[in-house]
């Protein structure tokens, strides 16, 4: 374990680390554009230069191996002058259109300019112009004038998503990031990660383009329910103090964008594009009306009817959701499991056109909590089979249940959050809350449990399943 010194501070580095890695591990910040902890070293931006004690020149720290007794200085006159010159060069042809750039507020170039340079451009030459709004894919647009050619995006497609779908063409001032002509970037299931890792506003999500300034938004920690990997994510939505008054009030309870929440145990700093599309998934039409045999009733009345059916049934079967949180499943186990034959059903199967499984993150099980549900209850042996004839009540929780599987004469109670015409065929239908409206946790296929938080209020008529199960199991007041 070599001991190095950064600005006089002793650090026990790991053999094989670079000075940049040792500094990051010790919480010391060295500026970097092209270096990324999960990508190979390219050493092209030069802004991470440091000075080794006793030497009269600077060297890049991202490619400098640690060695016993190495003494590194990050803030000498030479280092400061060099960084300033790098910032001058990097911004030489930059359009400085921060006023309209989506990256404003979280742009590394903006931050470093003020920290290490802060001066107007010295150049009297006309800036070199390049393509604005280059169509890189249906999901991503590229502004070549803002691109600082750090190659992070290129290395991402070579090293992480493995599509090798981006490259840099031409030389010098004419260099441009471009997608390969075989269309591989369009089909790269992880392409949106390049928007996050681009240190400037060159790569932009078309779904988020000009939708909001980032300082109007705040993140809520959550878990992508798109498959059993359970990637941890941040759901970005409007801050309460920036609520809109004049425009559509739905904007105040909308997810504006989704970004990965770095989690080495599950997904690292990445997600697949399905997580980015969660806003549309969560904004599907909701079920907000309780019903008895298709007739609208108050939610309390529906809960009371469900409770009577549960109390009277002789041979009830419960199909629990593998989208239920661990907390909801525990509430079901405590309040109701003893009354039912319980089986875990599969709410979602792979959809046409989606990547079923790969060797990166995506799993074939398109449900977030199969492991959590199956640790408490057995899974259905044959998800397509009819339920046993002797069963006189079916309680179906969640999506993906085919009503034709209910045995003739059996009563049906359905709990679901999303609108579905089939709900009218249930004896009792009760609308429930969704993941963005309650706290909870899922356990992924590896046994790692990740929590999510509520960011919006539930619709008034919907109930939290956790409270509903408690209410169905005991004779006391019920939630509404
Ligand atoms: S588009 Fe962004 S990530 Fe890609 S090379 Fe340019 S600055 Fe780097
Ligand atoms: S790999 Fe699975 S959990 Fe992760 S972002 Fe994609 S769909 Fe969501």
């Amino acid at each position: 374990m070599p001991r190095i010194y950064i600005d006089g501070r002793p650090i026990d580095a790991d053999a094989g680390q670079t000075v940049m890695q040792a500094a990051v591990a010790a919480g010391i910040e060295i500026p970097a554009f092209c270096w990324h902890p999960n990508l190979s070293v390219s050493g092209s931006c030069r802004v991470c230069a440091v000075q080794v004690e006793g030497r009269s020149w600077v060297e890049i720290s991202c490619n400098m191996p640690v060695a016993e007794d190495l003494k590194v200085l990050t803030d000498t006159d030479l280092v400061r002058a060099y960084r300033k010159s790098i910032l001058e060069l990097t911004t030489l042809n930059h359009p400085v259109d921060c006023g309209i750039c989506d990256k404003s507020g979280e742009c590394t170039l903006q931050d470093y300019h003020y920290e290490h340079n802060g001066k107007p451009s010295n150049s009297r030459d006309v800036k070199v112009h390049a393509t604005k709004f280059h169509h890189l894919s249906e999901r991503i647009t590229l502004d070549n004038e803002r691109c600082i050619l750090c190659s992070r995006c290129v290395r991402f497609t070579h090293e992480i998503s493995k599509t090798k779908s981006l490259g840099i063409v031409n030389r010098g001032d004419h260099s441009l990031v471009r997608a390969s002509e075989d269309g591989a970037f369009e089909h790269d299931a992880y392409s949106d990660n390049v928007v996050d890792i681009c240190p400037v506003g060159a790569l932009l999500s078309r779904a988020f383009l000009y939708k909001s300034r980032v300082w109007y938004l705040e993140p809520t920690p959550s878990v992508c329910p798109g498959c059993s990997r359970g990637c941890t994510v941040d759901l970005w939505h409007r801050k309460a103090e920036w609520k809109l008054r004049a425009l559509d009030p739905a904007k105040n309870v909308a997810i504006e964008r989704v970004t990965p929440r770095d989690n080495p145990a599950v997904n690292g700093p990445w997600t697949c594009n399905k997580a980015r599309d969660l806003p549309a998934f969560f904004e599907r039409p909701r079920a907000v009306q309780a019903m008895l045999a298709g007739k609208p009733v108050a939610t309390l009345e529906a809960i009371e009817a469900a409770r009577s059916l549960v109390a009277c049934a002789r041979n009830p079967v419960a199909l629990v959701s593998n989208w239920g949180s661990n907390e909801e499943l525990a509430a079901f186990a405590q309040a109701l499991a003893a009354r039912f034959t319980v089986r875990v059903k599969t709410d979602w199967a792979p959809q046409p056109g989606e990547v079923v499984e790969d060797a990166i993150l995506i799993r074939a099980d398109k449900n977030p909590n199969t492991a959590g549900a199956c640790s408490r209850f057995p899974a259905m042996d044959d998800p397509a089979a009819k339920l046993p004839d002797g069963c006189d009540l079916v309680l179906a929780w969640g999506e993906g249940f085919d009503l034709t599987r209910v045995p003739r004469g059996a009563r049906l109670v359905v709990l679901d959050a999303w609108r579905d015409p089939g709900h009218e065929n249930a004896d009792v239908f009760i609308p429930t809350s969704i993941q963005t409206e309650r706290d909870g946790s899922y356990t992924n296929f590896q046994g790692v449990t990740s929590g999510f938080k509520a960011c919006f209020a539930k619709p008034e008529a919907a109930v939290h399943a956790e409270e509903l199960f408690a209410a169905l199991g005991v004779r006391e007041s019920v939630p509404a």
Side-chain angles (χ1 to χ4, degrees):
M1 188 175 264
R3 169 159 288 196
I4 67 167
Y5 297 83
I6 299 182
D7 297 327
R9 182 178 149 190
I11 291 165
D12 290 323
D14 291 334
Q17 274 187 323
T18 60
V19 169
M20 174 66 93
Q21 287 171 322
V24 168
I28 296 170
E29 199 196 332
I30 297 177
F33 288 122
C34 68
W35 182 80
H36 185 283
N38 298 77
L39 299 175
S40 62
V41 170
S42 85
S44 55
C45 79
R46 319 305 288 179
V47 80
C48 71
V50 292
Q51 192 172 359
V52 173
E53 212 172 279
R55 294 182 189 165
S56 60
W57 61 90
V58 295
E59 300 158 74
I60 52 172
S61 58
C62 69
N63 206 28
M64 182 190 294
V66 295
E68 187 62 35
D69 211 30
L70 182 73
K71 294 188 174 67
V72 172
L73 303 170
T74 70
D75 197 29
T76 64
D77 288 348
L78 192 63
V79 169
R80 278 196 295 275
Y82 184 79
R83 279 191 194 144
K84 184 171 183 299
S85 70
I86 291 295
L87 264 298
E88 283 175 355
L89 178 69
T90 310
T91 51
L92 196 63
N93 292 310
H94 192 275
V96 199
D97 50 357
C98 313
I100 55 151
C101 179
D102 275 357
K103 199 79 171 188
S104 265
E106 45 188 29
C107 173
T108 314
L109 182 59
Q110 213 173 40
D111 293 345
Y112 287 176
H113 169 74
Y114 285 109
E115 198 175 336
H116 302 290
N117 182 14
K119 298 277 188 305
S121 174
N122 290 330
S123 172
R124 295 192 189 148
D125 295 327
V126 176
K127 295 196 179 210
V128 174
H129 291 290
T131 332
K132 309 286 275 185
F133 299 107
H134 175 75
H135 182 104
L136 212 53
S137 74
E138 283 301 316
R139 306 179 67 90
I140 294 169
T141 186
L142 165 63
D143 185 322
N144 283 106
E145 289 190 346
R146 296 179 191 159
C147 171
I148 60 169
L149 296 166
C150 73
S151 83
R152 278 185 178 188
C153 57
V154 175
R155 282 175 282 144
F156 175 85
T157 66
H158 285 244
E159 298 164 16
I160 306 295
S161 69
K162 307 272 191 345
T163 54
K164 300 186 177 165
S165 52
L166 294 180
I168 295 175
V169 298
N170 304 330
R171 297 290 216 167
D173 279 355
H174 300 285
S175 297
L176 296 170
V177 168
R178 284 291 176 264
S180 61
E181 287 171 9
D182 59 3
F185 190 64
E186 192 70 73
H187 303 292
D188 187 325
Y190 297 86
S191 62
D192 285 24
N193 290 292
V194 300
V195 174
D196 303 330
I197 62 174
C198 180
V200 297
L203 291 168
L204 299 166
S205 158
R206 291 158 75 92
F208 185 61
L209 195 63
Y210 302 144
K211 263 180 102 179
S212 180
R213 307 316 312 234
V214 294
W215 51 86
Y216 294 150
L217 306 179
E218 63 183 343
T220 292
S222 196
V223 181
C224 173
C227 80
S228 60
R229 175 73 60 181
C231 297
T232 48
V233 294
D234 280 322
L235 306 180
W236 293 82
H237 49 89
R238 227 168 161 83
K239 289 177 181 166
E241 61 267 38
W242 285 108
K243 262 186 158 181
L244 296 167
R245 293 200 187 143
L247 300 176
D248 180 1
K251 290 279 290 174
N252 292 321
V253 288
I255 299 166
E256 301 279 5
R257 68 172 180 174
V258 180
T259 55
R261 176 171 278 254
D262 196 353
N263 185 350
V266 177
N267 49 301
W270 320 118
T271 65
C272 82
N273 290 348
K274 196 170 177 182
R276 315 289 180 154
D277 297 335
L278 284 176
F281 185 85
F282 285 136
E283 282 160 19
R284 290 182 295 151
R286 290 290 297 279
V288 289
Q289 178 62 61
M291 290 183 282
L292 293 182
K295 264 184 49 200
V297 294
T299 304
L300 280 176
E301 196 180 334
I303 293 172
E304 196 51 51
R307 187 153 61 179
S308 298
L309 287 178
V310 171
C312 298
R314 276 171 297 131
N315 191 10
V317 171
L319 305 175
V320 301
S321 167
N322 55 358
W323 283 60
S325 68
N326 290 319
E327 294 69 19
E328 290 172 329
L329 290 158
F332 186 90
Q334 190 180 9
L336 291 170
R339 283 282 299 128
F340 287 88
T341 301
V342 186
R343 293 288 179 272
V344 177
K345 74 174 173 54
T346 296
D347 285 27
W348 275 82
Q351 299 300 294
E354 98 171 286
V355 176
V356 175
E357 188 156 43
D358 65 19
I360 306 170
L361 293 176
I362 300 171
R363 303 283 303 168
D365 176 5
K366 304 302 179 190
N367 303 280
N369 205 21
T370 306
C374 289
S375 70
R376 291 177 172 87
F377 310 111
M380 294 183 80
D381 295 334
D382 178 359
K386 267 201 167 317
L387 297 171
D389 271 343
C391 138
D392 59 351
L393 173 69
V394 176
L395 187 151
W397 169 22
E399 296 184 272
F401 177 63
D402 176 4
L403 294 180
T404 62
R405 296 173 53 215
V406 176
R408 189 184 293 271
R411 314 298 295 272
L412 176 64
V413 175
V414 174
L415 320 175
D416 195 1
W418 311 103
R419 202 180 300 160
D420 184 321
H423 294 158
E424 294 185 5
N425 301 322
D427 293 285
V428 180
F429 172 74
I430 301 171
T432 53
S433 60
I434 61 171
Q435 185 184 326
T436 53
E437 296 157 1
R438 51 188 159 79
D439 295 354
S441 67
Y442 298 136
T443 301
N444 83 349
F445 75 103
Q446 299 158 304
V448 179
T449 297
S450 305
F452 54 84
K453 294 269 177 208
C455 46
F456 305 130
K458 68 176 178 60
E460 211 178 322
V463 292
H464 295 306
E466 196 176 334
E467 296 167 15
L468 174 64
F469 296 145
L472 290 180
V474 291
R475 294 208 65 79
E476 58 183 40
S477 65
V478 289

